[in-house]
Amino acid sequence: MTTRIHRGTLIVGPIVLSACLPSATGQPFYEAYYLYLDNYPSHRNTGWHENVQGIAHDDNHWFITQTDTIWKIPVGHDLNVSPSGAPGVVQRTLGDYPALSAYNHLGDIVHFEYGGIGYLVVPLEGQGVVPAITVLLSSDLAYVHHASLREQVKCGWCAVDPSGYLYSSEGQPTALLRYSVNWAQLPVSGVLQVELIGPQNLYNEVGAALQLHHMQGGEFSPSGELLYLVSGFFEDTDETAEGIHVF
Protein backbone atom coordinates (compact mmCIF):
# COMPACT_ATOMS: atom_id res chain seq x y z
CA MET A 1 0.00 0.00 0.00
CA THR A 2 1.32 3.42 -0.97
CA THR A 3 0.64 6.40 1.29
CA ARG A 4 1.42 10.08 0.93
CA ILE A 5 3.72 12.51 2.72
CA HIS A 6 3.12 16.23 2.11
CA ARG A 7 5.78 18.88 2.57
CA GLY A 8 4.86 21.97 4.57
CA THR A 9 5.92 25.52 3.78
CA LEU A 10 9.34 26.50 5.09
CA ILE A 11 9.42 30.24 5.77
CA VAL A 12 12.90 31.71 6.21
CA GLY A 13 13.11 34.90 8.24
CA PRO A 14 16.04 36.95 9.55
CA ILE A 15 16.01 35.19 12.90
CA VAL A 16 13.50 32.36 13.01
CA LEU A 17 12.82 29.61 10.48
CA SER A 18 9.14 28.78 10.77
CA ALA A 19 7.64 25.54 9.51
CA CYS A 20 3.96 26.40 9.05
CA LEU A 21 2.08 23.15 8.70
CA PRO A 22 -1.70 23.48 8.87
CA SER A 23 -2.13 19.75 8.31
CA ALA A 24 0.01 18.81 11.32
CA THR A 25 -2.18 19.10 14.37
CA GLY A 26 -1.47 18.26 17.95
CA GLN A 27 2.28 18.74 17.99
CA PRO A 28 3.79 20.97 20.71
CA PHE A 29 3.99 24.61 19.63
CA TYR A 30 7.79 24.72 19.80
CA GLU A 31 8.14 21.97 17.18
CA ALA A 32 6.97 24.32 14.44
CA TYR A 33 9.82 26.75 14.99
CA TYR A 34 13.55 26.57 15.28
CA LEU A 35 16.19 29.20 15.85
CA TYR A 36 19.43 29.45 13.92
CA LEU A 37 22.17 30.35 16.40
CA ASP A 38 25.49 29.92 14.61
CA ASN A 39 27.95 27.33 13.33
CA TYR A 40 29.68 25.67 16.25
CA PRO A 41 32.37 24.55 16.06
CA SER A 42 33.47 26.54 13.03
CA HIS A 43 36.66 25.78 11.06
CA ARG A 44 38.19 23.58 13.76
CA ASN A 45 40.14 20.33 13.57
CA THR A 46 38.05 18.47 16.11
CA GLY A 47 39.01 14.93 15.12
CA TRP A 48 35.52 14.19 13.83
CA HIS A 49 35.38 17.14 11.41
CA GLU A 50 36.15 15.28 8.17
CA ASN A 51 33.59 13.28 6.20
CA VAL A 52 30.88 13.76 8.82
CA GLN A 53 27.85 11.64 7.94
CA GLY A 54 25.38 12.19 10.75
CA ILE A 55 24.66 13.22 14.30
CA ALA A 56 22.24 12.10 17.01
CA HIS A 57 21.94 12.48 20.77
CA ASP A 58 20.36 11.16 23.92
CA ASP A 59 20.04 13.10 27.18
CA ASN A 60 23.76 12.89 27.95
CA HIS A 61 25.77 12.27 24.79
CA TRP A 62 26.32 13.29 21.19
CA PHE A 63 26.74 10.47 18.66
CA ILE A 64 28.59 11.41 15.47
CA THR A 65 29.36 9.27 12.43
CA GLN A 66 32.15 9.74 9.95
CA THR A 67 32.54 7.49 6.91
CA ASP A 68 33.86 4.57 8.98
CA THR A 69 33.92 5.92 12.56
CA ILE A 70 31.40 6.44 15.34
CA TRP A 71 31.95 8.83 18.25
CA LYS A 72 30.15 9.00 21.59
CA ILE A 73 30.86 12.36 23.23
CA PRO A 74 29.46 13.65 26.55
CA VAL A 75 27.30 16.74 26.11
CA GLY A 76 29.49 18.54 28.65
CA HIS A 77 32.49 18.29 26.33
CA ASP A 78 33.20 21.43 24.33
CA LEU A 79 32.71 20.41 20.69
CA ASN A 80 35.19 23.11 19.72
CA VAL A 81 37.94 20.94 21.23
CA SER A 82 39.11 17.55 19.97
CA PRO A 83 37.44 14.76 22.00
CA SER A 84 40.31 12.30 21.51
CA GLY A 85 41.33 10.98 24.91
CA ALA A 86 38.78 13.10 26.80
CA PRO A 87 36.92 11.50 29.73
CA GLY A 88 33.82 9.59 28.72
CA VAL A 89 34.52 9.67 24.98
CA VAL A 90 34.13 6.40 23.06
CA GLN A 91 35.37 5.97 19.50
CA ARG A 92 34.77 2.93 17.30
CA THR A 93 35.53 2.16 13.66
CA LEU A 94 33.88 -0.35 11.34
CA GLY A 95 36.93 -2.53 11.88
CA ASP A 96 35.83 -3.01 15.49
CA TYR A 97 32.74 -4.89 14.27
CA PRO A 98 33.67 -8.15 12.50
CA ALA A 99 30.03 -8.78 11.59
CA LEU A 100 30.07 -5.57 9.53
CA SER A 101 33.23 -6.32 7.54
CA ALA A 102 31.35 -6.18 4.22
CA TYR A 103 30.47 -2.49 4.71
CA ASN A 104 32.64 0.60 4.29
CA HIS A 105 30.24 3.51 4.80
CA LEU A 106 28.18 4.68 7.77
CA GLY A 107 25.26 7.03 7.18
CA ASP A 108 23.16 9.50 9.15
CA ILE A 109 22.22 7.85 12.44
CA VAL A 110 19.36 8.09 14.88
CA HIS A 111 18.99 7.36 18.59
CA PHE A 112 15.91 5.39 19.65
CA GLU A 113 14.93 4.08 23.07
CA TYR A 114 12.71 1.07 23.63
CA GLY A 115 12.03 -0.74 26.87
CA GLY A 116 14.53 1.41 28.72
CA ILE A 117 17.36 0.44 26.34
CA GLY A 118 19.02 3.08 24.17
CA TYR A 119 19.86 2.05 20.62
CA LEU A 120 21.76 3.66 17.77
CA VAL A 121 20.27 2.84 14.38
CA VAL A 122 22.95 3.14 11.71
CA PRO A 123 22.62 2.86 7.90
CA LEU A 124 25.33 0.86 6.15
CA GLU A 125 26.58 0.70 2.58
CA GLY A 126 29.37 -1.24 0.94
CA GLN A 127 30.84 -2.10 -2.43
CA GLY A 128 28.77 -4.78 -4.14
CA VAL A 129 26.58 -5.57 -1.12
CA VAL A 130 22.97 -4.88 -0.25
CA PRO A 131 22.55 -1.88 2.08
CA ALA A 132 21.74 -2.64 5.69
CA ILE A 133 20.74 -1.23 9.04
CA THR A 134 22.72 -2.07 12.13
CA VAL A 135 21.74 -1.49 15.74
CA LEU A 136 24.29 -0.66 18.44
CA LEU A 137 23.80 -0.12 22.15
CA SER A 138 24.12 3.59 22.86
CA SER A 139 25.60 2.81 26.28
CA ASP A 140 28.91 1.49 24.92
CA LEU A 141 28.49 1.29 21.12
CA ALA A 142 28.37 -2.51 21.33
CA TYR A 143 27.09 -4.37 18.28
CA VAL A 144 23.63 -5.93 18.61
CA HIS A 145 22.68 -7.10 15.11
CA HIS A 146 22.14 -5.92 11.54
CA ALA A 147 19.61 -6.58 8.79
CA SER A 148 19.81 -6.14 5.01
CA LEU A 149 17.40 -3.76 3.27
CA ARG A 150 16.98 -5.69 0.03
CA GLU A 151 14.43 -3.22 -1.31
CA GLN A 152 17.09 -0.49 -1.49
CA VAL A 153 20.18 0.16 -3.59
CA LYS A 154 21.35 3.08 -1.44
CA CYS A 155 20.86 3.69 2.27
CA GLY A 156 22.62 6.87 3.39
CA TRP A 157 20.17 7.86 6.12
CA CYS A 158 17.40 6.61 8.34
CA ALA A 159 14.87 7.93 10.82
CA VAL A 160 12.72 6.24 13.46
CA ASP A 161 9.39 7.68 14.53
CA PRO A 162 8.19 7.55 18.17
CA SER A 163 6.23 4.37 17.41
CA GLY A 164 9.40 2.61 16.27
CA TYR A 165 8.78 2.56 12.52
CA LEU A 166 11.94 2.89 10.45
CA TYR A 167 12.17 5.17 7.40
CA SER A 168 14.82 5.40 4.69
CA SER A 169 15.09 6.00 0.95
CA GLU A 170 17.24 5.91 -2.13
CA GLY A 171 19.56 8.82 -2.86
CA GLN A 172 17.18 10.63 -5.25
CA PRO A 173 13.79 9.64 -3.85
CA THR A 174 10.24 10.30 -4.94
CA ALA A 175 9.08 8.17 -2.00
CA LEU A 176 10.26 7.06 1.43
CA LEU A 177 10.28 3.41 2.45
CA ARG A 178 8.62 2.54 5.75
CA TYR A 179 9.63 -0.56 7.73
CA SER A 180 8.38 -2.25 10.86
CA VAL A 181 10.99 -3.28 13.44
CA ASN A 182 10.39 -5.89 16.13
CA TRP A 183 11.91 -3.89 18.98
CA ALA A 184 10.32 -6.08 21.66
CA GLN A 185 12.08 -9.20 20.36
CA LEU A 186 15.49 -7.59 19.84
CA PRO A 187 16.81 -7.80 23.43
CA VAL A 188 15.39 -11.32 23.77
CA SER A 189 16.72 -12.94 20.59
CA GLY A 190 19.49 -10.52 19.65
CA VAL A 191 18.10 -10.58 16.10
CA LEU A 192 17.07 -7.41 14.26
CA GLN A 193 13.81 -8.16 12.44
CA VAL A 194 12.94 -5.54 9.81
CA GLU A 195 10.01 -5.86 7.39
CA LEU A 196 9.02 -3.50 4.58
CA ILE A 197 5.54 -2.03 4.96
CA GLY A 198 5.58 -0.01 1.76
CA PRO A 199 6.47 3.27 0.09
CA GLN A 200 5.20 6.68 1.12
CA ASN A 201 5.18 9.03 -1.85
CA LEU A 202 6.46 12.58 -1.46
CA TYR A 203 4.35 15.60 -2.41
CA ASN A 204 4.99 19.31 -2.17
CA GLU A 205 2.80 22.02 -0.65
CA VAL A 206 0.31 22.03 -3.52
CA GLY A 207 0.05 18.27 -3.86
CA ALA A 208 2.39 17.79 -6.80
CA ALA A 209 4.79 14.83 -6.85
CA LEU A 210 8.14 15.74 -5.33
CA GLN A 211 11.63 14.37 -5.90
CA LEU A 212 14.54 15.13 -3.60
CA HIS A 213 18.19 14.85 -4.65
CA HIS A 214 21.30 13.73 -2.79
CA MET A 215 19.56 12.73 0.45
CA GLN A 216 21.64 13.60 3.49
CA GLY A 217 19.52 12.87 6.56
CA GLY A 218 16.19 12.84 8.36
CA GLU A 219 14.74 13.24 11.84
CA PHE A 220 11.31 13.13 13.43
CA SER A 221 10.21 15.72 15.94
CA PRO A 222 9.62 14.35 19.47
CA SER A 223 5.86 14.12 18.90
CA GLY A 224 6.31 12.35 15.58
CA GLU A 225 4.07 14.91 13.88
CA LEU A 226 6.88 16.47 11.84
CA LEU A 227 9.58 14.87 9.70
CA TYR A 228 12.61 16.93 8.73
CA LEU A 229 14.58 15.81 5.67
CA VAL A 230 17.85 17.28 4.42
CA SER A 231 18.92 16.97 0.79
CA GLY A 232 21.47 18.49 -1.55
CA PHE A 233 25.13 18.36 -2.48
CA PHE A 234 27.39 21.40 -2.67
CA GLU A 235 28.77 20.70 -6.15
CA ASP A 236 25.69 20.04 -8.29
CA THR A 237 22.59 20.93 -6.32
CA ASP A 238 19.83 23.37 -7.22
CA GLU A 239 20.02 25.60 -4.16
CA THR A 240 16.43 26.74 -4.65
CA ALA A 241 15.08 23.18 -4.57
CA GLU A 242 17.19 21.36 -1.99
CA GLY A 243 17.92 22.03 1.68
CA ILE A 244 15.70 21.45 4.72
CA HIS A 245 12.24 20.03 4.00
CA VAL A 246 9.51 19.75 6.63
CA PHE A 247 6.70 17.20 6.21
Side-chain angles (χ1 to χ4, degrees), residues 28-225:
F29 177 77
Y30 69 85
E31 289 191 358
Y33 296 87
Y34 56 93
L35 177 66
Y36 171 74
L37 296 176
D38 201 353
N39 290 327
Y40 190 90
S42 181
H43 302 293
R44 291 290 188 273
N45 294 330
T46 59
W48 51 264
H49 61 287
E50 294 183 328
N51 298 315
V52 177
Q53 301 299 316
I55 187 168
H57 69 86
D58 61 13
D59 290 340
N60 300 302
H61 295 88
W62 295 106
F63 302 97
I64 299 172
T65 49
Q66 297 172 274
T67 302
D68 64 353
T69 303
I70 303 177
W71 295 83
K72 177 182 178 181
I73 304 173
V75 294
H77 177 83
D78 184 355
L79 291 179
N80 216 32
V81 178
S82 173
S84 297
V89 172
V90 180
Q91 180 186 6
R92 296 283 185 269
T93 69
L94 277 171
D96 294 317
Y97 304 102
L100 304 180
S101 61
Y103 305 97
N104 59 18
H105 190 282
L106 304 169
D108 179 42
I109 61 175
V110 65
H111 176 270
F112 180 70
E113 186 171 321
Y114 186 89
I117 302 174
Y119 297 105
L120 292 179
V121 188
V122 188
L124 298 167
E125 295 179 346
Q127 187 69 34
V129 297
V130 175
I133 290 289
T134 190
V135 170
L136 311 176
L137 293 178
S138 62
S139 57
D140 58 2
L141 305 187
Y143 171 82
V144 178
H145 202 235
H146 71 282
S148 297
L149 301 182
R150 299 193 177 279
E151 298 80 6
Q152 295 184 221
V153 176
K154 300 286 291 182
C155 182
W157 72 280
C158 67
V160 179
D161 70 18
S163 297
Y165 290 102
L166 173 73
Y167 295 76
S168 187
S169 77
E170 300 295 341
Q172 326 289 334
T174 58
L176 306 185
L177 295 178
R178 184 180 186 225
Y179 299 86
S180 64
V181 180
N182 193 338
W183 294 105
Q185 187 64 23
L186 183 59
V188 178
S189 65
V191 176
L192 179 63
Q193 299 175 8
V194 179
E195 183 177 349
L196 178 67
I197 296 174
Q200 294 194 298
N201 291 335
L202 299 174
Y203 296 89
N204 65 14
E205 298 88 340
V206 298
L210 176 68
Q211 182 175 19
L212 303 180
H213 300 87
H214 302 293
M215 280 296 301
Q216 300 297 326
E219 185 70 37
F220 280 94
S221 65
S223 71
E225 293 282 345

Side-chain angles (χ1 to χ4, degrees), residues 9-20 34 36 239 242-244 246:
T9 301
L10 188 67
I11 300 175
V12 182
I15 298 177
V16 176
L17 302 179
S18 167
C20 301
Y34 56 93
Y36 171 74
E239 294 182 358
E242 309 299 331
I244 301 173
V246 188

